[in-house]
Amino acid sequence: MAHVIYYYNYITDLQFNVITERSNVSVAVQYRRNLMPVLVNSVVSFVDHEDSVFNRAVDARERELTAGRRLPSAAQLPSGVKNQLGGALKQWMKGETPLHNMLSGIIAIAEQYPELKTSEAFQIFMTKMTDTESNILDRRTKYNEALNAYTTAITMFPGNIYARVFQFPSYDYYDDTSKPEWEQLAISRQYRSIEQDGQNHRGQ
């Protein structure tokens, strides 16, 4: 009888570890979902600000310059950028596009506009997303480790007998924990590029 109690408690403890780690994954994913709109909106706010500054500068030049003269060239962030960023976020929130597609699209937009790419808002965005994806990867890995211990216990003798008697359930592994949903290497390369651009921009 003592043997039965021991194995029942042992397997139950392993099962609770699996449930806890799976919950931790859900919390990390929900945190990402809550964080994403805040980060994207901060970048959109930067675009709004830059567009407003640019328009005021153009208005001032137009008042100063005589008719028919060309305005000096100036880097600008078209209002379409804001719409692109907002549209990408809405598609992801509706489940119409994978996360990595949305993030790749945002990076592609930033590549076209140095002002956006080197802005503090965008660099914070990249840092937060890197940290969030790393946390999700860590949580998924811990879940798989807990599940491996549990699965081993209910598969090997005599645990397999007790698993059938007490009807311990099985759980699914996360298939790809070798990298987070948004590839870590791509983030690292992109972030290094942003940091370098920022240093060059400040050095000019």
Side-chain angles (χ1 to χ4, degrees), residues 133-151:
E133 291 304 306
S134 295
N135 184 46
I136 292 175
L137 171 61
D138 181 61
R139 295 296 186 184
R140 287 179 174 176
T141 301
K142 288 181 178 178
Y143 166 80
N144 276 3
E145 290 172 349
L147 180 53
N148 182 63
Y150 171 76
T151 302

Side-chain angles (χ1 to χ4, degrees), residues 135-203:
N135 184 46
I136 292 175
L137 171 61
D138 181 61
R139 295 296 186 184
R140 287 179 174 176
T141 301
K142 288 181 178 178
Y143 166 80
N144 276 3
E145 290 172 349
L147 180 53
N148 182 63
Y150 171 76
T151 302
T152 301
I154 65 174
T155 301
M156 297 180 64
F157 180 84
N160 59 340
I161 297 175
Y162 296 118
R164 288 196 298 269
V165 171
F166 295 109
Q167 298 182 337
F168 282 99
S170 60
Y171 301 93
D172 294 327
Y173 286 90
Y174 281 106
D175 292 333
D176 189 6
T177 55
S178 62
K179 58 184 178 181
E181 188 171 348
W182 192 24
E183 289 82 352
Q184 189 69 33
L185 181 59
I187 295 176
S188 299
R189 289 175 176 172
Q190 182 65 32
Y191 188 66
R192 284 198 299 270
S193 173
I194 290 170
E195 283 187 319
Q196 184 63 46
D197 285 351
Q199 292 171 359
N200 294 339
H201 184 74
R202 288 191 295 269

Side-chain angles (χ1 to χ4, degrees), residues 61-74:
R61 289 192 186 97
E62 285 180 337
R63 288 194 297 270
E64 293 175 0
L65 294 173
T66 59
R69 289 182 60 187
R70 294 186 60 186
L71 295 176
S73 60

